[in-house]
Amino acid sequence: EPEVTQTPSHQVTQMGQEVILRCVPISNHLYFYWYRQILGQKVEFLVSFYNNEISEKSEIFDDQFSVERPDGSNFTLKIRSTKLEDSAMYFCASSVRGRWEPQHFGDGTRLSIL
Amino acid sequence: AQSVTQLGSHVSVSEGALVLLRCNYSSSVPPYLFWYVQYPNQGLQLLLKYTTGATLVKGINGFEAEFKKSETSFHLTKPSAHMSDAAEYFCAVSFPSTNAGGTSYGKLTFGQGTILTVHP
């Protein structure tokens, strides 16, 4: 069965550094998402991406964050200048269509900011 | 405000007992509803979904859930728990769009999760 793959599984970064989290969505999917889960808290929506542009973003997704689909397969989340509070598990997801279709999630990238 | 609430952050059952995990949502219009399971060090795996049609939906691993519009609930059940069911379970909701264009791109709002423990 096709899977969403995320790399790396664990990323340790110094505060203030830039970090890029990578995702390969399922190949025929058209909608792409990033979520995060701070330890002990809910899974939170960050951003959705469709037709090569951001379709919706949360309040968390400020100017420090950006997403890109640089080619036909990868979907990346960039955090420009990391803060301690960015430490979390970041999940990528994709779906064939919009809100009535289930999203398929990757295993996540654990981001630790020192 | 639209929200999702899972009653009970921890549920403990004996092997073979009924599993009941509760999920309620707040919305004036019925949303699309999902249950996901997360095993340690893994991503979120879809258990089942409700979009339209029959309100009792069956999922993988013997789980099922019933959409009750009058109660704004979507509780997850399994008649007989197995040790392998021990995991964290998330109720997730895709609410109708509130933007002017009426388009919704499927943002999921999650409950806080319920950790299920199964005792021998």
Side-chain angles (χ1 to χ4, degrees), chain B:
Chain B
Q2 297 168 332
S3 63
V4 183
T5 302
Q6 288 181 241
L7 261 180
S9 57
H10 290 82
V11 169
S12 180
V13 300
S14 298
E15 194 172 18
L18 171 72
V19 175
L20 170 61
L21 305 181
R22 300 177 187 274
C23 174
N24 287 86
Y25 66 89
S26 172
S27 175
S28 57
V29 178
Y32 295 142
L33 300 152
F34 307 87
W35 275 98
Y36 285 87
V37 60
Q38 185 179 31
Y39 299 101
N41 301 315
Q42 293 187 26
L44 299 162
Q45 180 184 1
L46 180 72
L47 275 178
L48 47 77
K49 65 175 182 178
Y50 171 79
T51 53
T52 58
T55 55
L56 181 64
V57 293
K58 296 187 186 299
I60 62 171
N61 303 338
F63 284 93
E64 59 184 37
E66 186 171 11
F67 169 58
K68 291 188 177 180
K69 182 179 175 181
S70 60
E71 298 178 8
T72 60
S73 69
F74 190 56
H75 301 331
L76 181 71
T77 60
K78 182 174 180 178
S80 177
H82 192 272
M83 297 294 289
S84 61
D85 295 327
E88 188 162 16
Y89 292 79
F90 293 92
C91 179
V93 177
S94 177
F95 289 106
S97 171
T98 55
N99 64 42
T103 305
S104 174
Y105 296 94
K107 160 190 164 184
L108 289 177
T109 300
F110 284 83
Q112 74 270 33
T114 299
I115 295 172
L116 176 66
T117 304
V118 182
H119 296 287

Side-chain angles (χ1 to χ4, degrees), chain A:
Chain A
E1 186 176 326
E3 291 183 342
V4 175
T5 56
Q6 290 186 243
T7 54
S9 57
H10 192 188
Q11 174 80 46
V12 181
T13 302
Q14 292 287 331
M15 186 173 60
Q17 294 296 305
E18 175 182 287
V19 66
I20 297 176
L21 309 183
R22 303 182 190 278
C23 170
V24 179
I26 295 173
S27 61
N28 64 332
H29 286 190
L30 300 177
Y31 293 78
F32 312 109
Y33 309 85
W34 283 101
Y35 294 83
R36 79 173 185 189
Q37 185 180 28
I38 295 172
L39 191 63
Q41 298 187 23
K42 288 187 180 188
V43 176
E44 302 172 287
F45 168 79
L46 291 177
V47 66
S48 60
F49 191 86
Y50 169 71
N51 201 25
N52 284 319
E53 59 183 20
I54 290 173
S55 47
E56 189 173 4
K57 60 183 181 180
S58 71
E59 295 173 353
I60 303 167
F61 195 88
D62 61 21
D63 292 345
Q64 295 297 317
F65 290 87
S66 63
V67 289
E68 195 176 40
R69 189 158 162 78
D71 52 42
S73 59
N74 291 284
F75 180 51
T76 61
L77 174 68
K78 182 192 291 186
I79 308 175
R80 191 151 48 92
S81 179
T82 49
K83 307 182 186 71
L84 292 175
E85 54 265 36
D86 294 327
S87 295
M89 180 73 89
Y90 288 80
F91 292 106
C92 173
S94 68
S95 69
V96 176
R97 284 181 288 269
R99 70 180 190 100
W100 58 94
E101 286 289 337
Q103 293 173 27
H104 297 255
F105 284 78
D107 286 345
T109 293
R110 181 166 297 285
L111 178 62
S112 300
I113 307 300
L114 304 179

